[in-house]
């Protein structure tokens, strides 16, 4: 028999995805890797999977039933282009090439356009959940054509994570929509992680509790509205003792956070789209700051509070931090969905926001009950202009904003950096402000650059003759 699906690239992600596919009823999986050792290793270790191995692209194409469908799981970038070129060479019109790697969505748009000209379908699919997800059920965000989704949909539904009975996969939109949404997912993940880290830091310094005690607090939070995979694993990490020293593991890990770039992509894209994803940006920048040991050492003696502070009611403070975390998290997700809305508009994608929240409920790193509330908000109002204004979320910030302010004040006074908490609050206050000092900025811009301004009381565009008699003219007169 022939294979109904193939996987190219058998490093950790590809081999786990191939095993996941093979374990589902009705699938026969063809496998190919640039170097044959990885193929042989997978065959040896998993004879039960019934893989059909190929040594080259010709054999791979011959092993696949038509329309041929292959998922690429190779190193993103040039490796992906190299594999696409080979597949285009051996595939035929109507066949489907899926890139499941972490491609930049603009690369996916370019590749889709080029591959489509050959009559072959190209689908960029964001796959979230790491190795574990690839093996047991990831959250999958496919783009590409509706035609390709017809064939691909049932296969991807069979391997995706399941949340409340629903597979965590949906056709996100055309060409790069899937990789775009995966990128935003990762951006939100950065913000969520940074917020949790700030919450931990504030509790530890504010109350003197040990990491193990704080693990208990996170485990408790995980039973409430903050319930999520990230809160759950945070408790696990905080509870871990270093076998070598007997110290809490978190105290022996070097405090310089790494990044593989998808958070930065989100921020760069949001800048281009003009969407303030300040929570995500602060999270990306917080990792950058942490990874500047020379600057940190040089600044270590600069004045400021030493980060300790006295909390008379530890329980009340912990509850304040919990509420600040929830409020800030709402802002991070609200900003992430703003970026999805703006991207959909810019690139012509018909993205169902509620469906995106729904497929993030399982398999991926930001999976959480909370996402149901987002799905409900967009179901109630598909044209919702800002997630934070939806009734459920507006209620949540109404309930939590006093605590949020207390926490940001306490952090500032104690000299504890809380960039994501405080910028989320500033964003919230900016959004709800009746008047913003943007009026003054417009005045400044008009002064030095004759950039003009609009008035609150009259139609039109105006300019003040700053270097003349300072009278106001209608802007058309100045050009
Ligand atoms: P790697 O990113 O380490 O890539 C290794 C694989 O790529 C090997 O199979 C390698 O073949 C192949 N490869 C590299 N260059 C070429 C080339 N020029 N031509 C052909 N094949 C090439 O593998 P991972 O399994 O870690 O990740 C695969 C993809 O999944 C990546 O895009 C990555 O970003 C993404 N990923 C996603 C995660 C998630 O949570 N969603 C987590 C981790 C990764 P060879 O064996 O011959 O060297």
């Amino acid at each position: 028999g022939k294979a109904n699906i193939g996987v190219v690239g058998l490093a950790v992600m590809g081999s786990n995805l191939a095993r996941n596919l093979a374990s589902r009823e009705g699938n026969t999986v063809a496998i190919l890797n640039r170097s044959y050792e990885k193929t042989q290793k997978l065959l040896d270790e998993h004879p039960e999977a019934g893989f059909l191995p190929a040594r080259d692209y010709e054999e791979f194409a011959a092993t696949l039933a038509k329309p041929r469908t292959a998922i690429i799981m190779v190193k993103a970038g040039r490796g992906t282009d190299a594999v696409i070129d080979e597949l285009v060479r051996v595939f035929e019109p109507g066949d489907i090439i899926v890139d499941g790697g972490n491609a930049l969505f603009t690369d996916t748009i370019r590749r889709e356009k080029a591959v489509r000209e050959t009559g072959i379908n190209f689908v960029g699919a964001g796959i979230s959940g790491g190795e574990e997800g690839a093996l047991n059920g990831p959250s999958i965000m496919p783009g590409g054509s509706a035609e390709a989704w017809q064939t691909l949909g049932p296969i991807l539904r069979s391997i995706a994570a399941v949340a409340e009975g629903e597979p965590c996969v949906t056709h996100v939109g055309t060409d790069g929509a899937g990789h775009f949404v995966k990128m935003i997912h990762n951006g939100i993940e950065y913000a969520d992680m940074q917020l949790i880290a700030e919450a931990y830091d504030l509790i530890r310094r504010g109350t003197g509790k040990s990491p193990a005690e704080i693990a208990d607090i996170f485990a408790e939070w995980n039973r409430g509205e903050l319930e999520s995979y990230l809160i759950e694993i945070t408790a696990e990490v905080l509870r871990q003792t270093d076998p070598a020293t007997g110290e809490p593991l978190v105290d022996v890990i070097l405090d310089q956070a790494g990044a593989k770039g998808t958070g930065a992509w989100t921020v760069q894209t949001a800048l281009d789209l003009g969407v303030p994803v300040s929570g995500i940006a602060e999270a990306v920048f917080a990792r950058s700051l942490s990874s500047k040991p020379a600057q940190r050492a040089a600044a270590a003696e600069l004045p400021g509070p030493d980060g300790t502070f006295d909390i008379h009611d530890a329980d009340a403070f912990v509850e304040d931090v919990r509420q600040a975390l929830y409020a800030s998290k709402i802002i991070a997700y609200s900003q992430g969905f703003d970026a999805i809305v703006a991207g959909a508009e810019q690139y012509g994608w018909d993205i169902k926001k509620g469906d995106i929240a729904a497929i993030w409920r399982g398999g991926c790193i930001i999976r959480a009950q909370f996402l149901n509330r987002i799905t409900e908000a967009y179901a109630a109002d598909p044209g919702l202009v800002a997630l934070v204004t939806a009734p459920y979320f507006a209620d949540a910030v109404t309930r939590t904003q006093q605590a949020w302010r207390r926490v940001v004040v306490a952090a500032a006074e104690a000299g504890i950096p809380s960039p994501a908490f405080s910028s989320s609050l500033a964003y919230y206050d900016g959004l709800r402000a009746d008047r913003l000092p943007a009026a003054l900025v417009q005045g400044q811009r008009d002064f030095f650059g004759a950039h003009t301004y609009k008035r609150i009381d009259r139609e039109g565009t105006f300019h003040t003759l700053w270097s003349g008699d300072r009278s106001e003219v209608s802007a058309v007169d100045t050009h």
Side-chain angles (χ1 to χ4, degrees), residues 8-15 32-36 38 57 72-80 82-83 99-103 126-131 182 260 365:
V8 185
L10 302 175
V12 53
M13 288 294 289
S15 45
L32 174 66
N33 194 66
R34 177 175 58 180
S35 53
Y36 194 74
K38 283 201 180 70
Y57 285 91
I72 303 171
M73 288 305 284
V74 304
K75 200 169 194 65
R78 267 210 295 267
T80 307
V83 173
D99 175 19
N102 266 337
I127 301 184
S128 176
E131 307 173 27
K182 170 68 185 347
K260 281 176 37 186
I365 305 301

Side-chain angles (χ1 to χ4, degrees), residues 1-42:
K2 292 205 174 194
N4 64 317
I5 181 88
V7 176
V8 185
L10 302 175
V12 53
M13 288 294 289
S15 45
N16 280 0
L17 201 72
R19 287 173 57 201
N20 183 351
L21 284 160
S23 73
R24 312 291 165 159
E25 190 71 38
N27 285 340
T28 305
V29 185
I31 54 174
L32 174 66
N33 194 66
R34 177 175 58 180
S35 53
Y36 194 74
E37 299 101 79
K38 283 201 180 70
T39 311
Q40 191 61 55
K41 182 163 175 280
L42 188 58

Side-chain angles (χ1 to χ4, degrees), residues 254-309:
L254 188 67
D255 60 344
Q256 297 177 18
K260 281 176 37 186
T262 48
W265 287 353
T266 306
V267 179
Q268 283 161 349
T269 302
L271 288 171
D272 290 340
L273 293 170
V275 180
V277 292
S278 49
I280 299 170
E282 288 298 348
V284 174
F285 290 144
R287 291 197 195 184
S288 312
L289 186 152
S290 77
S291 303
K292 299 273 181 286
Q295 285 190 333
R296 289 176 60 187
E301 299 308 322
L302 293 178
D306 67 0
T308 55
F309 60 131

Side-chain angles (χ1 to χ4, degrees), residues 99-122:
D99 175 19
N102 266 337
L104 180 59
F105 76 97
T106 46
D107 285 341
T108 303
I109 292 175
R110 166 179 63 79
R111 289 167 180 151
E112 199 274 342
K113 195 157 175 279
V115 173
R116 188 175 356 117
E117 278 167 16
T118 69
I120 297 168
N121 295 289
F122 183 79

Side-chain angles (χ1 to χ4, degrees), residues 168-301:
C168 294
V169 55
T170 189
H171 183 219
V172 172
T174 53
D175 56 55
H179 276 136
F180 180 89
V181 164
K182 170 68 185 347
M183 175 186 77
I184 302 296
H185 163 283
N186 285 30
I188 293 173
E189 174 186 313
Y190 273 63
D192 215 341
M193 291 170 69
Q194 174 66 22
L195 290 169
I196 292 170
E198 290 178 18
Y200 148 76
D201 198 29
L202 283 160
I203 292 176
R204 185 153 186 198
R205 302 216 228 175
T207 68
K209 288 182 191 292
S210 70
E213 288 168 325
I214 302 173
D216 291 340
I217 291 171
F218 278 98
E220 174 68 32
W221 289 359
N222 201 36
R223 289 191 279 274
E225 60 196 357
L226 281 169
E227 184 276 330
S228 64
Y229 172 73
L230 281 171
I231 293 281
E232 178 191 329
I233 65 160
T234 299
E236 300 278 330
V237 174
L238 289 175
R239 217 185 299 283
Q240 182 73 14
T241 300
D242 173 40
T245 60
E247 296 294 317
L249 179 67
V250 72
D251 287 347
V252 298
I253 295 178
L254 188 67
D255 60 344
Q256 297 177 18
K260 281 176 37 186
T262 48
W265 287 353
T266 306
V267 179
Q268 283 161 349
T269 302
L271 288 171
D272 290 340
L273 293 170
V275 180
V277 292
S278 49
I280 299 170
E282 288 298 348
V284 174
F285 290 144
R287 291 197 195 184
S288 312
L289 186 152
S290 77
S291 303
K292 299 273 181 286
Q295 285 190 333
R296 289 176 60 187
E301 299 308 322

